[in-house]
Amino acid sequence: MKYLEGIAEFCAVADVGNFTGAANKLDTSVAQISRKVASLEKQLGVKLLQRTTRSVSLTEAGTQYFQQAMPALKALEDAQLAVSALQASPQGLIKLTAPVAFGEAFIAPLLNTFMQKYAGISVQCTFSNEKLDIVELGLDLAIRIGKLEDSTLVAKKLATRHLFVCGSKDYFSQHSMPKSLQELKEHTLLVGSQPNWRFVVNKEVQTLPVQGRVRYNSGNALCSAALAGLGLTQLPGFYVREALARGELIEVLPEYKDKQEAIWAVFPSNRNVAPKIRLLVDFLAQNIMDDR
């Protein structure tokens, strides 16, 4: 079936828009991608890609061939996925990314439990607070929090997390508790990676610009500063839940709590979701609890 050689490589380049991204997607080298595409062009007797030092674009013949070849390639992938789904136990590597603090606290332990349950699965997880390009890096999925940017990615909601405004007993022994959002401006606020705090007033999201002498891009560091009595902080529940339960931190303005920040699993829309990926996402959705 020599006529099939190079089709997957060409479609990957056409889809991603460059040879490096295609190599990452197919887990091979750029040289192998280039060689396969060149072989396909020679076999067809036409130029499919227009290459420059800065970009790769489809020729007219390449556009037509991609439109015809991609559905056929997807049909072959569907057939392979259907066969692999018959396996009693899922197999293979899952590559994903997750935010650092949330990933270390929640995703990593769940991944460990998932691999204990499915011995044929291996996991490669990159913890990063940057929104990595999962298509170009060849990742299977990403865990993301908050409002998603418009993109070609497909998203599945896993859970919802809430933001708590709180301060320590020591802080409130010297300052009155705020009764309104306006009164927050009279308090010392601890600033995180975002310049605004979010609240919900009459079912509408409102933001409050925050400034202060403490500015950390770490939720754990902000929680520590709040416990030290340095000011008020707004943090997701997983940072402050235990301190709130112990009474070390006191929540204020709960009636304005933003309850709409979702936790998502996102996938490339141009890739059929393998059974092992669906299995992991379903497992995460069942085990990540809403942060109340």
Side-chain angles (χ1 to χ4, degrees):
M1 300 179 70
K2 190 173 181 180
Y3 67 90
L4 291 177
E5 291 185 3
I7 295 178
E9 289 79 4
F10 163 72
C11 286
V13 174
D15 185 47
V16 175
N18 59 75
F19 281 79
T20 300
N24 286 327
K25 181 178 180 180
L26 298 181
D27 196 21
T28 186
S29 66
V30 173
Q32 177 74 353
I33 295 288
S34 181
R35 188 161 48 248
K36 290 285 188 178
V37 171
S39 176
L40 179 63
E41 289 178 324
K42 182 178 180 181
Q43 178 184 322
L44 295 173
V46 294
K47 196 172 186 64
L48 300 174
L49 298 172
Q50 188 66 46
R51 306 167 178 84
T52 69
T53 55
R54 293 185 177 182
S55 64
V56 176
S57 59
L58 293 171
T59 64
E60 182 179 355
T63 299
Q64 184 175 350
Y65 191 77
F66 179 62
Q67 291 173 347
Q68 297 286 331
M70 195 61 182
L73 188 62
K74 283 185 175 293
L76 288 173
E77 291 176 350
D78 287 342
Q80 184 172 351
L81 290 173
V83 172
S84 64
L86 297 176
Q87 297 182 90
S89 178
Q91 307 286 324
L93 173 66
I94 299 175
K95 296 188 288 185
L96 70 155
T97 180
V100 177
F102 183 81
E104 290 176 348
F106 292 96
I107 300 300
L110 290 176
L111 291 177
N112 295 337
T113 302
F114 184 77
M115 285 187 287
Q116 288 176 333
K117 186 175 182 180
Y118 301 102
I121 293 290
S122 55
V123 168
Q124 177 182 317
C125 186
T126 300
F127 297 104
S128 174
N129 290 331
E130 297 181 12
K131 285 187 169 60
L132 303 180
D133 189 327
I134 63 176
V135 174
E136 186 164 341
L137 294 175
L139 302 179
D140 296 299
L141 72 150
I143 306 301
R144 291 184 177 162
I145 299 175
K147 184 178 180 181
L148 297 177
E149 299 175 357
D150 291 336
S151 71
T152 58
L153 299 176
V154 176
K156 177 180 174 61
K157 184 177 179 181
L158 301 178
T160 301
R161 75 172 189 177
H162 302 163
L163 298 174
F164 294 76
V165 176
C166 49
S168 70
K169 285 184 175 180
D170 287 343
Y171 179 84
F172 288 123
S173 68
Q174 302 177 44
H175 304 82
S176 62
M177 290 191 181
K179 298 295 191 298
S180 68
L181 299 185
Q182 188 67 25
E183 289 183 18
L184 277 178
K185 298 178 181 179
E186 303 171 7
H187 286 263
T188 303
L189 306 182
L190 307 173
V191 188
S193 57
Q194 301 299 321
N196 301 301
W197 286 4
R198 296 200 315 278
F199 301 93
V200 175
V201 181
N202 297 325
K203 298 183 179 180
E204 292 187 0
V205 175
Q206 291 189 11
T207 59
L208 176 73
V210 290
Q211 295 181 348
R213 65 190 184 100
V214 174
R215 182 181 293 270
Y216 294 141
N217 67 345
S218 162
N220 288 321
L222 287 170
C223 181
S224 177
L227 288 168
L230 294 179
L232 303 182
T233 186
Q234 185 183 63
L235 285 171
F238 73 85
Y239 286 110
V240 297
R241 184 189 301 111
E242 292 184 3
L244 288 170
R246 292 192 298 263
E248 296 170 350
L249 290 177
I250 300 170
E251 183 185 5
V252 296
L253 303 173
E255 64 272 27
Y256 299 118
K257 187 185 303 178
D258 183 359
K259 303 178 181 180
Q260 305 302 317
E261 192 169 59
I263 301 166
W264 306 90
V266 297
F267 321 82
S269 62
N270 57 5
R271 185 183 303 173
N272 291 311
V273 181
K276 63 184 178 183
I277 307 302
R278 291 191 182 278
L279 194 65
L280 174 58
V281 172
D282 290 342
F283 178 83
L284 293 175
Q286 292 168 6
N287 290 279
I288 295 178
M289 302 299 294
D290 281 351
D291 196 359
R292 303 184 188 280

